[in-house]
């Protein structure tokens, strides 16, 4: 599905997880958080949401997320980077960082 790219006032990167997490889960969060901070500073927010808690479930429901996920939210657009995150966070973190940057840049 094509994503409509428009300049937006705010971009949010959201990482959804469960209470019990593996090394890869933690690494996806760490790499994504660092990528957002180093490339965008205060211009993009990074939040984690625990799907075992009601607050995390509520945000997940709004974004139609039902499991572990790495999502960029920019205006009406939702870009799911879960597959890229879990594929590259441990073995090629630079690839995950590059993908996050490429997906967010057009919105800013």
């Amino acid at each position: 599905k094509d994503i409509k790219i428009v300049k937006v006032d705010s971009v949010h990167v959201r990482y959804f997880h469960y209470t019990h997490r593996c090394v890869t889960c933690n690494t996806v969060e760490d790499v994504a958080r660092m990528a957002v901070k180093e490339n965008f500073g205060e211009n993009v927010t990074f939040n984690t949401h625990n799907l075992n808690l009601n607050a995390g479930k509520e945000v997940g429901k709004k974004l139609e997320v039902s499991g572990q996920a790495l999502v960029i939210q920019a205006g009406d657009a939702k870009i799911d980077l879960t597959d890229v995150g879990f594929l590259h966070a441990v073995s090629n973190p630079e690839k995950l960082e590059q993908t996050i940057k490429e997906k967010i840049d057009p919105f800013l």
Side-chain angles (χ1 to χ4, degrees), residues 22-51:
C22 67
V23 170
T24 302
C25 299
N26 288 318
T27 305
V28 169
E29 177 182 340
D30 293 343
V31 172
R33 181 186 305 277
M34 186 245 0
V36 168
K37 183 179 179 192
E38 287 188 2
N39 290 289
F40 303 104
E42 301 296 315
N43 296 323
V44 174
T45 62
F46 181 89
N47 298 100
T48 59
H49 304 282
N50 185 333
L51 294 167

Side-chain angles (χ1 to χ4, degrees), residues 3 6 10 15-16 19 24 28 31 33 35 44-45 60 65 69 72 90 95-96 100:
I3 303 233
V6 295
S10 62
Y15 180 62
F16 294 87
T19 302
T24 302
V28 169
V31 172
R33 181 186 305 277
V44 174
T45 62
V65 170
I72 296 170
V90 174
K95 174 70 173 166
L96 175 55
I100 290 170

Side-chain angles (χ1 to χ4, degrees), residues 2-104:
D2 288 334
I3 303 233
K4 185 175 181 197
I5 304 291
V6 295
K7 300 293 181 194
V8 295
D9 292 331
S10 62
V11 176
H12 308 282
V13 177
R14 301 183 185 277
Y15 180 62
F16 294 87
H17 63 86
Y18 293 102
T19 302
H20 297 287
R21 303 165 73 186
C22 67
V23 170
T24 302
C25 299
N26 288 318
T27 305
V28 169
E29 177 182 340
D30 293 343
V31 172
R33 181 186 305 277
M34 186 245 0
V36 168
K37 183 179 179 192
E38 287 188 2
N39 290 289
F40 303 104
E42 301 296 315
N43 296 323
V44 174
T45 62
F46 181 89
N47 298 100
T48 59
H49 304 282
N50 185 333
L51 294 167
N52 289 121
L53 304 177
N54 286 334
K57 285 180 196 169
E58 287 301 314
V59 177
K61 192 183 293 184
K62 286 178 189 164
L63 291 177
E64 299 173 347
V65 170
S66 59
Q68 292 170 301
L70 179 62
V71 176
I72 296 170
Q73 181 184 10
D76 293 334
K78 179 179 100 174
I79 302 169
D80 188 339
L81 295 183
T82 306
D83 291 346
V84 174
F86 280 85
L87 187 62
H88 296 294
V90 174
S91 63
N92 188 357
E94 298 81 14
K95 174 70 173 166
L96 175 55
E97 180 179 359
Q98 175 189 354
T99 302
I100 290 170
K101 184 170 177 359
E102 286 173 358
K103 296 296 185 186
I104 292 175

